[in-house]
Amino acid sequence: MNIPAVRAIFVSEMARWFRTISQSLIAPVISTSLYFVVFGSAIGSRMSEVDGVGYAAFLVPGLAMLSILTQSLSNAAFGIYITKWSGTIYELLSAPVSWVEAVTGYVGAAAAKSVLLGLVIILTARLFVSFEIVHPVWMVAFLLLTAVTFSLFGFAIGIWAGNFEQLQIVPLLVVTPLTFLGGSFYSVKMLPPFWQKVTLLNPVVYLVSGFRWSFYGRGDVAVGVSLAMALVFLAICLAVISWIFKTGYKLKN
Amino acid sequence: MQAIIDIAGLAKSYKSGFQALKSVDLQIGEGEIFALLGPNGAGKTTLISIVCGIVRATAGRVTVAGHDVVREYRAARAAIGLVPQELTVDAFAKVADTVAYSRGLFRKGRDTAHVEHVLKELSLFDKRDSMVMALSGGMKRRVMIAKALAHEPRILFLDEPTAGVDVELRRDMWAMIRRLRDTGVTVILTTHYIEEAEEMADRVGVIRRGEIILVEEKAALMRKLGRKQLTVQLRRPLVALPGELAPFDLERSANGLALTYTFDAQAADTGIAGLMRQLAACGLDVVDLQTRQSSLEDIFVSLVSEAS
Ligand SMILES: Nc1ncnc2c1ncn2[C@@H]1O[C@H](COP(=O)(O)OP(=O)(O)OP(=O)(O)O)[C@@H](O)[C@H]1O
Ligand SMILES: [Mg+2]
């Protein structure tokens, strides 16, 4: 294992993030605060409890998850895409670095960023709403699992994308709808029975549910199911990435 | 010669179906400076990219320091530093950081002394805290060289290192390449500037349309293919060449004061003695003589046009 290479990639990716720390961190914090002002305070006060918790508190894990998903995806996709686009990928391809090491560096950095972001959002939320976290260890576990899975997914998109439009299209057309329909703002139990079934096809439901369970001890599906599904998505993403590198898809001609 | 790079039967067809390399065989000796010459699109970059692991070969085999570049890519690549043709640097990084990054990729920890040495060698030390994007094009090229040297490679590939570089930087680069060679580093450079190959290289390879059409010691090449020219300065201008001189195929200068005779320096009879006798017989007064060896450029141009 070429650890210095993993470290070098990780450090340079993090440096890129810190250079734009205002966009990277402050923007999501502001938008999350706005969510809480609008949904939590203005609307939430008129809503009854959802699943045994106040609506504002109910929102916290979902909103954090929403940011983690989208940021993991865009950070990882952007990181490798820029390397490709600027041509600096030549260095990575000609270095004694295995694809496992390259992915670890890039995805590790993307995941680290979104975990930090997730924690900052949860802390910000705490300023608006009071809540306890029942299973903090599981909370961190779900946070990590989601961040890594979606960073892998983003990495694959970054490699696949041939231009900036393609880089945006998957997050925009697929992931954003899935996250909004993934039970971030509502409990799946609030849906009509038919849609409850349909919604179970949405991978995000399991992640949000598991994450919410770690906060309040209950979710839309059993936590074991959440965990299993999260691991399945992780495995799928790993398989896709390893296929990309085994075949040299879009990397080597 | 101990080969540090061994290329056998290397072929490459791009997805478009274009065959950029057709069964290339080439050995590079340890510690030599090898210049790969060839017109645009000849396949120089493709060849280098395969050796460095950026492009996959369609057929053939490459070993670097005894390691197969595909199966033992780690060991093979660890020996190589690459300065690609295109100017591609992380514009938003600091100079020192991007050089340290390259070192890390090659499994080396932060050796600030070495990085400092490389930066100083390339006159980048004052710029170490500048953002790459704030540097001039020539400076960026130096950064790319610094990155390639950051991990102390045994082999350095320079793909057209002096394209778009001013005379001073070019001299600096040549000096640096010589110093590298003195420390035992093998240098492979591609260039369009034939003077560069002539000045620097121990051996020269010429590639054309994906085929190596010649590999030769530079000195031997110049000797073998080198045509010499003898220029005779006359005291009085010559209006027309006398018939007796016709067999020598002389070239008369515009003012008629100089005659140029081209001959093969290796020939048993260069014809110079006969020419001198004829000149005397024609009553031409010779005031000066010069001979000139044809340059690598002449050789190159004649090779490439010959093969077409
Ligand atoms: N990715 C690619 N896809 C298709 N064809 C390519 C690709 N890269 C290079 N080629 C073709 O392969 C041939 C060799 O290209 P290469 O870049 O190796 O030439 P070169 O000798 O380095 O030329 P130059 O002196 O202009 O740098 C060219 O005809 C080029 O058009
Ligand atoms: Mg080239």
Side-chain angles (χ1 to χ4, degrees):
Chain A
M1 189 83 179
N2 185 348
I3 301 293
V6 175
R7 191 187 312 127
I9 296 169
F10 185 87
V11 166
S12 91
E13 282 297 295
M14 291 309 273
R16 200 165 52 74
W17 192 60
F18 282 117
R19 277 196 295 270
T20 53
I21 190 86
S22 56
Q23 290 166 45
S24 316
L25 219 61
I26 296 172
V29 166
I30 291 176
S31 61
T32 310
S33 305
L34 288 174
Y35 273 121
F36 279 107
V37 170
V38 174
F39 289 114
S41 309
I43 298 175
S45 57
R46 289 155 193 250
M47 302 221 355
S48 53
E49 289 197 336
V50 183
D51 223 7
V53 282
Y55 187 62
F58 176 86
L59 274 180
V60 176
L63 278 180
M65 206 44 131
L66 198 68
S67 297
I68 292 159
L69 285 177
T70 49
Q71 291 296 312
S72 299
L73 203 69
S74 67
N75 277 330
F78 196 73
I80 188 68
Y81 181 79
I82 282 296
T83 313
K84 231 173 49 163
W85 178 79
S86 69
T88 49
I89 196 161
Y90 84 86
E91 231 191 331
L92 204 57
L93 295 176
S94 61
V97 175
S98 71
W99 66 266
V100 175
E101 289 148 4
V103 171
T104 308
Y106 274 99
V107 168
K113 294 168 200 175
S114 46
V115 166
L116 278 178
L117 178 79
L119 294 176
V120 167
I121 285 176
I122 292 167
L123 288 176
T124 312
R126 193 66 184 78
L127 301 176
F128 294 88
V129 206
S130 89
F131 55 87
E132 307 289 329
I133 298 171
V134 187
H135 308 290
V137 176
W138 281 107
M139 190 276 273
V140 172
F142 271 108
L143 194 62
L144 282 174
L145 203 54
T146 310
V148 169
T149 303
F150 275 75
S151 296
L152 283 168
F153 188 16
F155 189 86
I157 292 172
I159 285 179
W160 163 80
N163 52 48
F164 276 100
E165 284 70 35
Q166 289 182 344
L167 191 64
Q168 313 270 353
I169 200 98
V170 175
L172 211 64
L173 286 187
V174 182
V175 179
T176 308
L178 285 183
T179 50
F180 273 86
L181 300 175
S184 294
F185 299 102
Y186 55 87
S187 165
V188 171
K189 294 176 189 118
M190 294 158 84
L191 297 174
F194 173 73
W195 290 107
Q196 282 193 27
K197 294 238 165 52
V198 173
T199 218
L200 290 180
L201 297 173
N202 180 354
V204 178
V205 167
Y206 300 93
L207 300 172
V208 171
S209 167
F211 200 47
R212 192 175 288 132
W213 171 87
S214 72
F215 275 66
Y216 306 124
R218 55 175 86 190
D220 291 328
V221 296
V223 64
V225 177
S226 283
L227 188 63
M229 290 306 258
L231 291 171
V232 167
F233 302 135
L234 179 65
I236 292 173
C237 289
L238 281 172
V240 168
I241 297 275
S242 76
W243 174 82
I244 284 176
F245 280 91
K246 291 254 161 67
T247 58
Y249 172 75
K250 296 249 182 177
L251 281 176
K252 297 193 184 191
N253 41 39
Chain B
M1 182 185 72
Q2 181 68 35
I4 193 162
I5 298 179
D6 191 352
I7 299 170
L10 197 65
K12 172 67 189 175
S13 300
Y14 281 106
K15 257 192 247 117
S16 58
F18 182 82
Q19 197 172 13
L21 292 178
K22 305 164 189 161
S23 194
V24 167
D25 297 297
L26 184 65
Q27 277 83 39
I28 309 287
E30 169 125 50
E32 72 172 333
I33 299 183
F34 186 88
L36 190 58
L37 289 173
N40 286 128
K44 303 181 292 294
T45 301
T46 303
L47 182 61
I48 290 182
S49 302
I50 293 174
V51 177
C52 295
I54 296 169
V55 168
R56 286 184 180 189
T58 316
R61 180 186 56 76
V62 181
T63 62
V64 173
H67 304 285
D68 186 279
V69 294
V70 179
R71 275 181 287 113
E72 303 162 280
Y73 69 94
R74 277 195 205 265
R77 290 181 197 170
I80 299 176
L82 165 67
V83 183
Q85 183 173 3
E86 311 275 337
L87 208 53
T88 42
V89 264
D90 182 358
F92 297 100
K94 280 187 189 164
V95 172
D97 289 346
T98 192
V99 174
Y101 168 78
S102 307
R103 205 176 146 77
L105 286 186
F106 283 79
R107 206 191 273 268
K108 302 243 166 145
R110 276 189 174 258
D111 178 345
T112 38
H114 177 74
V115 170
E116 200 177 301
H117 170 75
V118 169
L119 290 178
K120 281 189 175 144
E121 178 114 66
L122 289 157
S123 320
L124 282 171
F125 193 64
D126 297 337
K127 303 272 183 194
R128 64 190 180 282
D129 290 322
S130 308
M131 292 258 258
V132 170
M133 74 181 158
L135 302 180
S136 71
M139 284 287 189
K140 286 190 187 120
R141 199 163 277 281
R142 288 177 202 239
V143 171
M144 295 188 63
I145 299 174
K147 283 164 77 67
L149 292 175
H151 68 278
E152 302 154 75
R154 283 171 71 190
I155 303 167
L156 180 65
F157 279 99
L158 295 158
D159 198 354
E160 286 180 45
T162 49
V165 151
D166 70 10
V167 183
E168 193 188 347
L169 177 49
R170 209 188 299 177
R171 292 242 169 73
D172 284 359
M173 253 187 229
W174 290 355
M176 182 205 72
I177 291 170
R178 285 206 189 85
R179 281 197 298 277
L180 283 172
R181 200 248 315 255
D182 292 344
T183 63
V185 175
T186 308
V187 181
I188 296 105
L189 55 94
T190 73
T191 177
H192 288 163
Y193 296 108
I194 291 141
E195 59 193 88
E196 208 156 79
E198 198 170 336
E199 168 109 18
M200 304 289 311
D202 300 313
R203 281 199 311 150
V204 176
V206 179
I207 183 169
R208 199 179 147 277
R209 295 205 191 140
E211 286 172 299
I212 300 267
I213 54 179
L214 173 130
V215 179
E216 192 85 65
E217 297 278 333
K218 184 186 68 187
L221 179 65
M222 309 264 310
R223 246 182 286 121
K224 191 154 99 190
L225 291 163
R227 309 200 52 87
K228 272 191 149 178
Q229 289 187 320
L230 170 71
T231 305
V232 178
Q233 302 286 343
L234 303 173
R235 185 174 304 282
R236 280 177 298 276
L238 188 65
V239 186
L241 280 173
E244 293 90 327
L245 293 177
F248 295 98
D249 208 11
L250 298 177
E251 224 180 292
R252 197 176 60 90
S253 67
N255 62 11
L257 276 169
L259 299 174
T260 304
Y261 171 56
T262 305
F263 61 97
D264 185 349
Q266 305 296 305
D269 176 15
T270 57
I272 293 176
L275 174 65
M276 297 320 282
R277 275 196 297 276
Q278 274 307 333
L279 288 172
C282 296
L284 296 173
D285 239 352
V286 174
V287 286
D288 197 9
L289 294 173
Q290 288 153 359
T291 63
R292 188 177 84 84
Q293 176 110 39
S294 58
S295 68
L296 199 52
E297 172 144 22
D298 305 331
I299 296 171
F300 176 68
V301 168
S302 81
L303 251 179
V304 169
S305 56
E306 216 169 82
S308 61

